[in-house]
């Protein structure tokens, strides 16, 4: 059964196919033509039954009656198959193609059989009717079965071939013409059937391609984030997809003028864009609209002419709202401070340029530069969060102190700048008073009250300069004067202030020059035991040679020590040279006792000062006991106090003694003595100088000496210049003295000779013995 069925299936597949290869969906669509064209189908069935009925009426024989019955039964079967097939198609199932093709072939054979017996009957009226009907049905076969040309050819052959045979068999010689004409007719019909098939297949393929293309285009349009419109030659919308008007469905805008949809301010630019597109050039426009949520949306619009000769224009618009907001945010951030939200230096400079341009025709103004007092202490002791909170508070309070048209900006770090309307110094003082009033009240952070002090430098526009740099420089100079004068005050620029600034700059330049030319040298001032007059050691003091070959002290470089970078470089250079001298003295047997080195807060910031110093001592072969470290109380302050304590503890454990310099001039001294490993106290020279003339100074000295002894510390008095001062210090039990009474600072070459001479120059010829 299976073996027999396989060739039959192959035969039916071939019969329902065609020579041209077509995709399966189209092949199925062509085969489904067997169940369409109901009028042609019914016409053929009813016509064949009618002819069979006429034949049976004219010749009531078994043959003709049998043909009539067969036609009726076959017509009913074909109609039932047609109905079944259409239901299957409607349900999405495969219809009975093979059964329909088989019944169609049987019907054609029946028509051919009927034509044959009618011709053989000799009834020429009946024969004429039958032949005409057969010809008509052949036309219906070709029209209805163009999707299956092989089946159509078979049906035509089955319908007409018997007529050609009958033409040869009848007695009438003229009928032989049928035997010649019908084969030609059959071949013509065959050709027409296959040609019609190719034509229809091409049409179906073209339609399918068009549908796929339309589907693809529709998918692309629906998936694209861009808005697409097509304008006709009157610039009215003929097509739109997700229109940027966003006011309803796409079709709502069909027929509208596109330019009318633009904001009024953009219509002229939109018209120019369309003109460019009409001229064959790409037009571009950036515009916006208000969406259904009342939000502004930005669009980048491109217009091009469609190259089909219709004059239509295609518009593609991309939503760039996010990009626009990013650009606006970037532009805002480029001109504003991220922490406080205030304008930054760039915006301040622009405003300054405008003020200078309008200075001759508008009211005069002033530039105020404000520096937060003691900001670094707040930042170091309480952390950067506290510093940020302080800056934000300053920003808010400065903004509250401004008048209409004034401006406040943060120019970096703890510095702010204000441009205020002011035609005189009195008005500047009034503006500063408003600022100080706002800053006077402290603010609370993490349970602590913080002060909002500030120093202000001001310059008048255009009195103090005609360019931005001149105005800024004048205000900076005034600010420097305010800070140098004690902070928390206003200074208005005066030409005389330039002298101090030039001095400051000269200090910085001198320090850099000294470092570059390596003219820094350590000098050594002896420290003498007040009980035995013996030299116990020396303090290393910085000296340097200027451009004129003159030896200068550290005061001329004072500003450089306040600069973190330069100050650290100076300390490092000084330390290196002291260690070179100490190493040389050790090699030559000079009994110098020890050398005290001053260390600033900046030296501890790296966190590795102690280890670096110990490594350098080992490298030079210098025992730690030969070195003392002198620090001031400012070293103990700030967030780095923990690192300082660790470093000093490490140095102390290695045998380096720690001296607390300038004792009595700072604050929280007792807590420092308890927390840090201090071995020596140095009484500040300001107390020594006033002994004998100020009872309080003498009392303070006695109290410090007593405190040091109670804590087991050695006490050193700095700046001893007279025998009376020395005598008083000996009387209250001071351990060590240092000052011009004994010797000034000596070079490394002079120091050994001092130790040998024993005489430490003073008017009363007091002598000191070298340490053993």
């Amino acid at each position: 059964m299976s073996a027999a069925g396989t060739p039959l299936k192959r035969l039916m597949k071939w019969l329902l196919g065609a020579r041209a290869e077509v995709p399966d969906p189209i092949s199925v669509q062509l085969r489904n033509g067997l169940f369409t064209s109901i009028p042609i189908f019914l016409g053929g069935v009813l016509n064949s039954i009618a002819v069979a009925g006429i034949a049976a009426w004219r010749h009531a024989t078994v043959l003709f009656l049998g043909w009539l019955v067969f036609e009726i039964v076959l017509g009913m079967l074909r109609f039932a198959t047609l109905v079944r097939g259409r239901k299957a198609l409607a349900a999405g199932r495969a219809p009975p193609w093979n059964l329909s093709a088989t019944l169609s072939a049987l019907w054609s054979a029946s028509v051919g059989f009927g034509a044959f017996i009618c011709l053989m009957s000799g009834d020429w009226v009946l024969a004429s009717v039958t032949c005409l009907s057969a010809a008509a049905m052949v036309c219906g076969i070709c029209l209805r079965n163009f999707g299956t040309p092989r089946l159509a050819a078979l049906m035509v052959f089955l319908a007409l071939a018997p007529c050609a045979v009958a033409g040869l068999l009848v007695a009438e010689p003229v009928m032989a013409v049928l035997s010649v004409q019908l084969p030609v007719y059959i071949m013509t019909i065959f050709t027409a059937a296959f040609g019609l098939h190719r034509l229809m297949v091409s049409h179906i393929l073209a339609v399918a391609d068009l549908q796929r293309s339309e589907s693809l285009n529709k998918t692309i349009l629906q998936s694209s984030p861009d808005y697409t419109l097509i304008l006709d030659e009157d610039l009215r919308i003929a097509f739109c997809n997700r229109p940027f008007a966003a006011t309803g469905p796409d079709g709502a805008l069909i027929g509208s003028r596109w330019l009318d949809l633009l904001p009024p301010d953009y219509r002229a630019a939109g018209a120019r864009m369309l003109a460019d597109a009409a001229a064959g050039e790409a037009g571009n426009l950036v515009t916006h609209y208000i969406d259904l949520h009342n939000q502004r949306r930005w669009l980048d619009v491109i217009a091009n002419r469609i190259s089909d000769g219709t004059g239509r224009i295609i518009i593609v618009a991309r939503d760039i709202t996010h990009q626009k907001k990013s650009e606006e945010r970037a532009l805002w951030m480029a001109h504003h401070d991220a922490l406080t939200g205030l304008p930054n230096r760039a915006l301040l400079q622009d405003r300054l340029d405008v003020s200078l341009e309008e200075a001759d025709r508008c009211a005069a103004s002033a530039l105020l530069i404000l520096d937060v007092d003691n900001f670094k202490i707040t930042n170091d002791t309480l952390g950067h969060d506290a510093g940020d909170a302080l800056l934000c508070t300053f920003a808010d309070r400065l903004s509250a102190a401004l008048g209409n048209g004034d401006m406040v900006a943060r120019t970096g770090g703890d510095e702010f700048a204000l441009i205020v309307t002011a035609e005189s110094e009195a008005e500047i003082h009034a503006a500063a008073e408003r600022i100080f009033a706002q800053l006077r009240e402290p603010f609370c952070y993490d349970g602590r009250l913080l002060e909002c002090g500030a120093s202000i430098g001001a310059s008048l526009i255009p009195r103090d300069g005609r360019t931005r740099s001149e105005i800024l420089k004048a205000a900076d100079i005034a600010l420097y004067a305010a800070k140098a004068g004690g902070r928390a005050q206003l200074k208005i620029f005066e030409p005389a202030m330039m002298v101090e600034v030039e001095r400051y700059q000269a200090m910085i330049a001198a320090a850099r020059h000294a470092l570059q030319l390596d003219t820094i040298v350590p000098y050594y001032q002896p420290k003498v035991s007040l009980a035995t007059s013996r030299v116990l050691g020396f303090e290393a003091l910085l000296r340097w040679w200027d451009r004129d070959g003159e030896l200068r002290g550290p005061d001329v470089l004072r500003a450089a020590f306040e600069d973190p970078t330069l100050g650290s470089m100076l300390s490092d250079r000084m330390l290196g040279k002291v260690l070179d001298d100490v190493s040389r003295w050790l090699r030559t047997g000079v009994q110098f006792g020890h050398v005290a080195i001053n260390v600033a807060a900046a030296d501890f910031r790296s966190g590795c000062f102690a280890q670096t110093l110990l490594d350098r001592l080992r490298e030079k072969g210098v025992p730690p006991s030969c070195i003392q470290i002198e620090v001031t109380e400012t070293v103990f302050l700030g967030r780095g106090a923990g690192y300082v304590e660790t470093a000093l503890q490490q140095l102390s454990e290695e045998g380096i003694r720690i001296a607390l310099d300038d004792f009595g001039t700072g604050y929280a001294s007792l807590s420092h003595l308890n927390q840090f490993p201090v071995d020596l106290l140095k009484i500040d020279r300001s107390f020594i100088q006033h002994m004998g003339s100020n009872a309080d100074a003498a009392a303070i000295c006695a109290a410090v000496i007593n405190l040091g002894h109670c804590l087991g510390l050695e006490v050193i008095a700095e700046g001893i210049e007279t025998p009376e001062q020395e005598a008083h210090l000996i009387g209250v039990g001071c351990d060590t003295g240092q000052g011009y009474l004994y010797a000034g600072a000596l070079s490394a070459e002079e120091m050994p000779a001092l130790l040998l001479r024993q005489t430490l120059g003073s008017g009363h010829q007091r002598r000191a013995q070298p340490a053993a």
Side-chain angles (χ1 to χ4, degrees), residues 523-529 534-541 578-579 581-583 585-586 590-598 617 622-630 655-660 679-682 714-716 735-738 751 754-755 769-772:
Y523 268 54
Y524 301 92
Q525 186 174 39
K527 297 193 290 184
V528 178
S529 169
R534 298 169 63 88
V535 174
L536 301 176
F538 296 84
E539 179 182 359
L541 303 174
V578 168
L579 293 182
D581 290 340
V582 171
S583 177
W585 293 334
L586 289 172
V590 177
Q591 300 297 314
F592 59 91
H594 67 268
V595 174
I597 303 172
N598 290 283
L617 289 175
V622 176
S625 59
C626 292
I627 299 297
Q628 287 185 6
I629 294 297
E630 292 191 5
I656 295 177
R657 303 183 76 196
I658 312 299
L660 183 56
D679 302 296
L680 306 95
L681 291 183
K682 296 191 74 174
E714 179 184 335
V715 182
I716 305 171
D735 301 303
T736 307
Q738 179 181 344
M751 200 193 73
L754 168 72
L755 294 173
Q769 303 297 324

Side-chain angles (χ1 to χ4, degrees), residues 308-328:
D308 59 358
T310 62
R312 294 183 300 171
I313 294 175
I314 183 170
I315 291 179
V316 178
R318 173 159 295 181
D319 191 319
I320 58 170
T321 304
H322 180 72
Q323 175 185 337
K324 198 74 173 178
K325 288 182 177 179
S326 298
E327 291 175 355
E328 291 174 353

Side-chain angles (χ1 to χ4, degrees), residues 325-370:
K325 288 182 177 179
S326 298
E327 291 175 355
E328 291 174 353
R329 178 64 180 169
L331 183 63
W332 186 91
M333 292 185 68
H335 293 88
H336 289 80
D337 173 55
L339 176 64
T340 63
L342 294 177
N344 62 8
R345 181 178 292 274
L347 206 56
L348 173 74
Q349 292 175 343
D350 292 342
R351 177 67 180 273
L352 269 177
D353 290 339
V354 173
S355 298
L356 287 166
E357 290 174 2
E358 298 177 348
D360 293 332
R361 55 184 187 275
C362 297
S365 55
L367 172 66
L368 279 65
I369 296 181
L370 180 148

Side-chain angles (χ1 to χ4, degrees), residues 361-432:
R361 55 184 187 275
C362 297
S365 55
L367 172 66
L368 279 65
I369 296 181
L370 180 148
D371 188 84
V372 182
D373 290 340
N374 301 316
F375 174 73
K376 187 178 184 305
I377 294 177
T378 300
N379 219 28
D380 290 346
T381 56
L382 300 181
H384 292 289
D385 290 342
D388 290 347
L390 179 60
L391 292 174
C392 290
T393 300
F394 260 83
D396 293 340
R397 295 189 179 183
L398 291 176
S399 299
L402 293 180
N404 292 332
D406 295 345
M407 174 186 180
V408 58
R410 183 186 176 204
T411 54
D414 61 343
E415 187 175 276
F416 295 83
L418 301 90
I419 298 178
V420 300
T421 302
E423 298 185 358
S424 64
E425 292 190 3
E427 293 183 3
I428 294 178
H429 281 286

